[in-house]
Structure formats: structure tokens, C-alpha cells
Amino acid sequence: MTIVTERDPNQVIIFDTTLRDGEQSPGASMNLEEKLRIAKVLEDMGVDVIEAGFPIASEGDFEAVSEIAKTIKNSTIAGLARATRGDIERAGAAVKHAERGRIHTFIATSPLHMQYKLQMEPEQVLERITESVGMARNLIDDVEWSAEDGSRSEHEFLCRCVEAAIKAGATTINIPDTVGYAVPEEYAALIKMLIDRVPNSDQAVFSVHCHNDLGLAVANSLAAVVAGARQVECTINGLGERAGNCSMEEVVMALKTRQDAMPFTTNIDATHITRASRMVSSVTGFPVQPNKAIVGANAFAHESGIHQDGMLKNAQTYEIMTPESVGLTKSKIVLGKHSGRNAFKTKLEEMGYKLGDNALNEAFKRFKDLADLKKDVFDEDLVALVDDDTRVNDRIKLTSLEIQCGTVHRPPKAAMELEIDGKTQSCEGTGDGPVDAAFNCIKTLFPHGARLQLYQVHAVTHGTDAQAEVTVRLDDNGERTAQGAAADTDTMVASVKAYVNALNKLLTKREKKAPEAMSA
Ligand code: KIV
Ligand code: ZN
């Protein structure tokens, strides 16, 4: 039985696809534990729909969607599927245990995609829409249909596709700007045209899914909401394919801050935004640019004297929203070396981390080690420490590292021990610098052929005892990339851990199917 509840006509459904489209971003891959942790934050934030993955893509994707479906109670869990029986049944099986599950099925509708990618005639695509949506509706009540490359589709044909999808049972109609080509006025007009012209449009929620190739994803999504769309698909930090997707924090804060221009609401509790942003950045190893709206390190920083003076007199002179409204509090010294296990546990819970007994004991041990090395332990240090501690399923782990470097004329040397598939192995190596020497050791102990594409270091907090956060990206013969990150007070330890983290992610990705095989 379908229970129909009255929706507030001005409420915008927030559909987060960080775990699906976000994870498709080159280099970003997440393991099951990381996906569950992000899903939990999204649920805490009040996200209406979490797209948890593409179940047919790999066993790992299927497992992640189905675990998230079993764990998350307050958000709808969606699984993506192409317009084929195999995909749809796999997505249905993955979301079957969800309190509220959704199958999201898609097919391309633009002349370019139909002719070259699908090699299908428009009439065949239309038939496939009816079949695939019908198949999905036989498995579940909540079905979303997407017109891939919708913004470059012919209007007449798109209207027929949308009408067919609704007739076959789709309750949400998504019109993606797949290649980030649209501009706001045109995209808004497209949504309005569909709502006005499709005869059964009142039986579905219209949704938008914008990519950011021209930097217009947020502007396009907001324009579409004004034109009648009531679901926005977005990701934390704007993570996603190529230039990324519409950024959730920007859309949500734009709607909250400019109620006068856009009188729409969302279910999002924005005070979770900063935590979600930091978690996604640390899990994927994608740093947030300092001047990124809402979540960049400088988003609420005031450098110029004139601005600082204005801020002291009245914060509204230069601040259109408060840092607290997005969950940003001043960096505080939270704990020290005398803090006990209980204080540590309570602090982590306040920050949204609920660890099991074993994980907590491990994290507490690492916290004590850190507090011995570092006078002040900040919130950011704890985030880095807990994130580092939860990589329990990794095949490769660093167990010991010694580095020799200096100004005298002898080559930098690294001596390293790695645990590989449970066996400890050691190596000594040299290189063009200490980092090179250490990375050479990893290659000797675990030959893998991947090329280092990015090596980046930044400080988690301030001061010479700050933890260094290192990001490493590895490229596997141009076939796939993986990005890893790690933090430690010792930059060399952080570097090796980040490399090992990227390598572990690459190994997980190698188990997945090639992305080409996944196109619709
Ligand atoms: O960008 C896109 O078209 C997509 C669809 C699969 C929804 O991600
Ligand atoms: Zn997309």
C-alpha cells in the first residue's frame, strides 16, 4: 500500500549523490566503512534522499548500497540503474532492506547520445523508458527516471519521454545537465516548459542534476527551483565527475540566506555542513580550496583592516551568514595529554563520531601518542586521527619507518616495514630526496606500476608541531586514479601513509569493472 503524505509545495527535496556521482570523480574512491560514515552524517543533516551507489558496478558497490539501506533509517536510499533488467534488479535487491528505498533508472535522450553512445533510434529509447520504469515499479513504489543529457535533448522528444516515464510509474523526473552546458535562464525555461507541457506532469516531482563544467551548477539548480523543480541533486563540496556536481552546501545556504528572493525550504540542518565537508575531504583526499564558498578555510576570514573594523562594529557589515550557522566554531584546544578515555569519547560523540569499543580503544591509544608529541590537540587533529584509525580493512599497512636525510653528501635513505596481506616485510632504499627514498621502498615491497600524479602537503592546524596532512594521487596506466590522504606530526610518516592509502584504494578500484563498461 502506498501512503501518500501532503508535501509542502515550497519544500525542496535534497538528494545527495556524493556516494555515487561524487565517487565517480577521478581519484575519489571510498571503502564501505567510509561510505557508511558519510551516509550517517548525511542522515544527521536531514538529507531526504541519499544515492548510495551504482549496485551493478561491482560487488563492493552492491554491498555498500545494501549496508547503507539497512543502517540508515531517516533518509530514502537510492540505487542507480541503467535501463536494463540486470541493473534494475540489482538496484532493487540492494535497496530492498531500506526503510524507504528508491530505484533511480536512467537513459540518454539527446540526439548525440542516442546516435553515438546508445546507437538506438528515438522510438526505441521511448519503448525502453516504458519497459525499464515499469520493471522498476514492479519492484518498488519509489522510482526516479532520469533523462541523461536532458539539457541537450530536443524539447518535443523530451516531453514524450517524460510523459512515458510518468505513465509507467516514475514518481520523480530528473532532467540532468550531464555535461554542465546549460545556462540558468535556458535551464529554468526547460524545466518550466516540461511542467507546463507534459500532460501528466502533476503526478511527479521534477528534479535537477547539474554538473559544473562552466561553474554554473548551483546557479542552474537555483534557477530551476524558481521555475518549479522541487528536488535538487547535489554533492558535498561539489565533488563529482570532471568539474563536479552542484554543491549541496552552496544550494542550501543560498536558499536559507536569500529567502526574500527564493522562498523555499529544505530539511537540512546546516550546522552539520562543516563536519560533512571535512569528512568528505578527508575520506577522498580532495582538499577544499581555501576560497570555496561556505566551507573554504577563508569563507569566514577577514583580512583587510577595513573589513575587520566593520566586523567589530557589526558582523553583518561583511558577513551574510554566521560561521556558527554552518557549524564552524573557533578552532579550540579540546583535549590534552591528561584527558581520560571518557572525555575523549564524549568529545568524539559531540563531533559526530560513534566508535565501537575496539575502535575507540585504538583511537584513544593514538590520541595519547599524539598528545605526547603535540602540546595542543584541536578538533581538526581529532578528525585526522579518527579518520586514520578506521582504515582497518586495508591490505597494506605501514608498521615502521626510519628516514635519514641532511645537508651532508650522502643519499637520503629510508628503512621501512610494511604489513602486506598480514605478513610483515622490510626494505631499505635510497632516492632523490627522503620522500622519493620512502616511495621507492613501497614500490620494492609492493610492485604496482602506478605513477605518482600528485603529492601535496598542508598543515592541519597552526604551529611547528601541527600535523601535516598529505595527499597523494596515483595513476594506474591512465585507466583509473586513486587519491589517498593521511595526517601525522611527522611529515614523512604522513607521506608514506598517504601513499599507502592511495595504493589500497587503487587495489579496491582494480576489483571494480572498467568505467567504460558502465555507460548507458
Ligand atoms: O549526470 C548525469 O546525467 C547523471 C545521471 C546518471 C543522473 O549522473
Ligand atoms: Zn551526474
Side-chain angles (χ1 to χ4, degrees):
M1 187 184 69
T2 317
I3 299 169
V4 181
T5 44
E6 273 301 305
R7 279 195 53 245
D8 170 357
N10 286 336
Q11 197 208 309
V12 177
I13 296 166
I14 297 294
F15 175 117
D16 180 277
T17 183
T18 307
L19 299 175
R20 198 278 298 169
D21 220 339
E23 209 213 9
Q24 276 174 227
S25 176
S29 53
M30 310 172 207
N31 63 30
L32 174 62
E33 185 280 328
E34 291 165 341
K35 286 186 179 177
L36 274 168
R37 205 145 39 94
I38 291 174
K40 190 77 197 71
V41 178
L42 297 175
E43 182 187 36
D44 290 349
M45 285 177 93
V47 165
D48 303 284
V49 187
I50 299 174
E51 185 161 60
F54 197 174
I56 194 83
S58 68
E59 276 305 316
D61 266 50
F62 178 85
E63 196 195 355
V65 178
S66 90
E67 279 309 307
I68 291 170
K70 286 178 198 155
T71 313
I72 299 297
K73 300 292 172 218
N74 300 318
S75 312
T76 295
I77 305 303
L80 185 68
R82 290 166 299 184
T84 65
R85 179 173 293 283
D87 276 42
I88 291 169
E89 287 181 348
R90 198 76 176 135
V95 301
K96 121 175 139 206
H97 296 294
E99 202 98 350
R100 288 191 300 273
R102 171 179 295 188
I103 297 177
H104 175 193
T105 182
F106 71 99
I107 191 163
T109 53
S110 67
L112 208 60
H113 278 232
M114 289 190 291
Q115 184 181 347
Y116 294 101
K117 193 181 74 169
L118 299 177
Q119 295 175 343
M120 283 169 82
E121 292 299 321
E123 292 308 312
Q124 292 174 301
V125 169
L126 254 176
E127 255 174 54
R128 187 72 80 79
I129 293 169
T130 302
E131 269 166 34
S132 55
V133 172
M135 244 180 251
R137 256 321 278 263
N138 280 337
L139 298 174
I140 206 157
D141 283 342
D142 187 346
V143 173
E144 171 169 338
W145 176 76
S146 281
E148 192 190 11
D149 207 18
S151 58
R152 292 193 299 172
S153 301
E154 283 171 357
H155 289 192
E156 199 60 49
F157 180 64
L158 191 57
C159 285
R160 289 177 66 208
C161 292
V162 170
E163 185 180 354
I166 298 174
K167 198 162 162 216
T171 44
T172 302
I173 296 293
N174 184 39
I175 309 297
D177 181 26
T178 302
V179 289
Y181 179 75
V183 293
E185 244 178 59
E186 164 200 59
Y187 191 57
L190 174 67
I191 300 299
K192 186 169 177 332
M193 180 280 295
L194 290 170
I195 295 174
D196 289 347
R197 275 181 48 189
V198 172
N200 50 4
S201 68
D202 60 328
Q203 290 164 40
V205 171
F206 277 73
S207 166
V208 287
H209 175 112
C210 297
H211 280 266
N212 206 30
D213 301 66
L214 293 173
L216 292 170
V218 172
N220 285 338
S221 304
L222 291 171
V225 168
V226 173
R230 287 295 176 269
Q231 174 174 287
V232 171
E233 304 199 353
C234 47
T235 60
I236 300 289
N237 297 341
L239 193 70
E241 293 254 32
R242 307 180 308 278
N245 285 56
C246 169
S247 146
M248 189 221 280
E249 58 279 6
E250 293 178 24
V251 162
V252 166
M253 290 316 288
L255 290 176
K256 270 194 197 307
T257 309
R258 291 305 308 273
Q259 277 289 295
D260 56 329
M262 298 175 290
F264 306 101
T265 57
T266 71
N267 272 334
I268 301 296
D269 174 354
T271 60
H272 292 275
I273 283 178
T274 299
R275 178 162 75 98
S277 163
R278 287 181 182 166
M279 188 180 287
V280 169
S281 165
S282 126
V283 160
T284 56
F286 278 47
V288 173
Q289 75 192 58
N291 58 330
K292 163 89 175 62
I294 320 293
V295 289
N298 291 349
F300 294 93
H302 302 278
E303 186 74 23
S304 96
I306 297 173
H307 287 206
Q308 286 174 351
D309 181 54
M311 283 292 293
L312 289 173
K313 289 174 176 149
N314 181 338
Q316 282 177 13
T317 50
Y318 289 102
E319 242 171 38
I320 58 168
M321 57 203 147
T322 66
E324 291 77 20
S325 66
V326 297
L328 183 70
T329 47
K330 284 244 153 20
S331 225
K332 287 186 298 254
I333 301 167
V334 288
L335 298 166
K337 68 180 183 187
H338 301 296
S339 307
R341 192 174 174 285
N342 240 346
F344 178 69
K345 181 171 177 236
T346 310
K347 181 67 207 173
L348 286 184
E349 281 175 2
E350 270 170 33
M351 293 168 67
Y353 290 95
K354 287 198 186 78
L355 303 187
D357 279 352
N358 288 346
L360 184 71
N361 289 342
E362 275 298 305
F364 185 59
K365 219 163 77 211
R366 286 171 55 81
F367 158 70
K368 282 291 190 185
D369 292 344
L370 181 66
D372 273 340
L373 291 169
K374 196 172 182 299
K375 203 165 85 228
D376 304 323
V377 179
F378 297 87
D379 282 2
E380 293 87 334
D381 290 316
L382 289 185
V383 172
L385 179 141
V386 175
D387 285 342
D388 232 33
D389 221 24
T390 44
R391 292 170 185 167
V392 280
N393 296 321
D394 287 350
R395 281 184 62 190
I396 310 169
K397 289 179 185 141
L398 172 70
T399 47
S400 138
L401 176 70
E402 271 178 52
I403 297 284
Q404 176 191 296
C405 54
T407 53
V408 281
H409 296 292
R410 57 179 176 203
K413 246 167 75 180
M416 180 185 298
E417 249 180 41
L418 293 182
E419 190 188 296
I420 303 172
D421 294 326
K423 268 210 213 130
T424 302
Q425 304 192 28
S426 55
C427 161
E428 284 197 7
T430 56
D432 284 342
V435 177
D436 193 44
F439 289 1
N440 284 340
C441 273
I442 303 176
K443 282 182 223 151
T444 307
L445 291 174
F446 192 91
H448 50 271
R451 252 179 356 98
L452 181 68
Q453 205 181 55
L454 173 95
Y455 170 72
Q456 192 171 284
V457 185
H458 86 272
V460 173
T461 52
H462 304 290
T464 49
D465 67 350
Q467 292 199 88
E469 188 163 65
V470 178
T471 307
V472 162
R473 190 188 305 142
L474 295 177
D475 173 69
D476 205 7
N477 260 332
E479 283 176 31
R480 51 185 88 71
T481 57
Q483 195 143 303
D488 199 283
T489 47
D490 184 320
T491 310
M492 285 307 304
V493 172
S495 303
V496 171
K497 283 185 172 175
Y499 193 111
V500 167
N501 181 231
L503 195 50
N504 279 310
K505 290 190 166 182
L506 203 60
L507 297 179
T508 312
K509 277 196 152 187
R510 278 181 184 173
E511 288 161 18
K512 291 191 179 188
K513 286 185 189 166
E516 300 77 62
M518 299 317 307
S519 54

